Amino acid sequence: MLQKNISKAGKSLMAGVLAAGLISAAGVEAAASKADVPVQEITQAIEGMGHTVFPIGKDNVAYEQYFTGKSYLAPLAGGQGVGVSNVTFAPGTINHWHIHHKSCQVLVGLSGTGWYQIWGQEPQKMMPGVTVTIPEGVKHWHGAAPDSWFQHLSIMQDGAGTEWLEPVDEAAYKALK
């Protein structure tokens, strides 16, 4: 079902990609003043890693209790069966273990270096272009490497729910290489 919905949303996602790619530096600065987020500073850091065509978004205050540091959320598409968001993680920021209900989650690495882990498996590095499918109902976490900004697209079926669980073991995360 999600794969079919992702295909339907492809035109909407591509339009968002093209529109975001046309944003000028002046447009980013204007967005920063409206969003009350240091977008220019974040954008400069990410540009140093290979750039991004997606907006950084707003401070992810609604979910900050489930993250170890700062994250930013930019919804790109939704309401047509599938939701697509750009999530930007500050260095060292990851989310808690969690489970998605009523949808798998597709993660697409965009910029920087990150990690994800599915419960019972070894952590895996994420880089730009890496695509991961987290099956529905599977415990996992994801986020930035300790020394890198990281962005990924999150693609999920509209109406999915997230069950937030315990934080990732800090020592295990810091040991990742």
Side-chain angles (χ1 to χ4, degrees):
M1 178 77 168
L2 178 61
Q3 189 171 17
K4 182 178 178 183
N5 287 336
I6 289 173
S7 297
K8 287 180 181 177
K11 289 181 184 177
S12 175
L13 175 59
M14 187 55 73
V17 169
L18 293 173
L22 298 175
I23 294 174
S24 68
V28 170
E29 289 174 15
S33 65
K34 292 179 184 175
D36 195 34
V37 174
V39 173
Q40 185 176 15
E41 293 171 31
I42 297 167
T43 301
Q44 288 172 349
I46 291 173
E47 284 177 346
M49 300 180 310
H51 197 56
T52 180
V53 297
F54 294 101
I56 302 302
K58 295 184 180 181
D59 198 356
N60 193 6
V61 295
Y63 297 96
E64 67 186 354
Q65 69 266 31
Y66 306 116
F67 287 74
T68 61
K70 295 292 283 181
S71 67
Y72 302 86
L73 183 63
L76 302 174
Q80 300 295 315
V82 65
V84 181
S85 294
N86 178 36
V87 184
T88 302
F89 298 82
T93 300
I94 61 173
N95 52 34
H96 292 192
W97 287 101
H98 59 284
I99 298 170
H100 298 294
H101 301 285
K102 298 185 181 179
S103 180
C104 69
Q105 182 180 38
V106 177
L107 303 174
V108 181
L110 298 176
S111 296
T113 303
W115 290 90
Y116 77 95
Q117 183 177 11
I118 292 175
W119 185 257
Q121 298 180 14
E122 292 297 315
Q124 300 294 313
K125 191 176 277 191
M126 285 195 71
M127 305 290 288
V130 171
T131 301
V132 177
T133 301
I134 310 292
E136 177 182 355
V138 172
K139 186 175 177 177
H140 67 287
W141 65 266
H142 38 97
D147 60 349
S148 177
W149 284 89
F150 180 62
Q151 288 185 306
H152 69 54
L153 290 181
S154 171
I155 305 168
M156 291 178 39
Q157 191 168 328
D158 284 339
T162 302
E163 177 184 354
W164 291 101
L165 304 167
E166 73 276 7
V168 173
D169 179 80
E170 189 174 341
Y173 168 72
K174 287 183 177 182
L176 296 174
K177 301 284 181 210

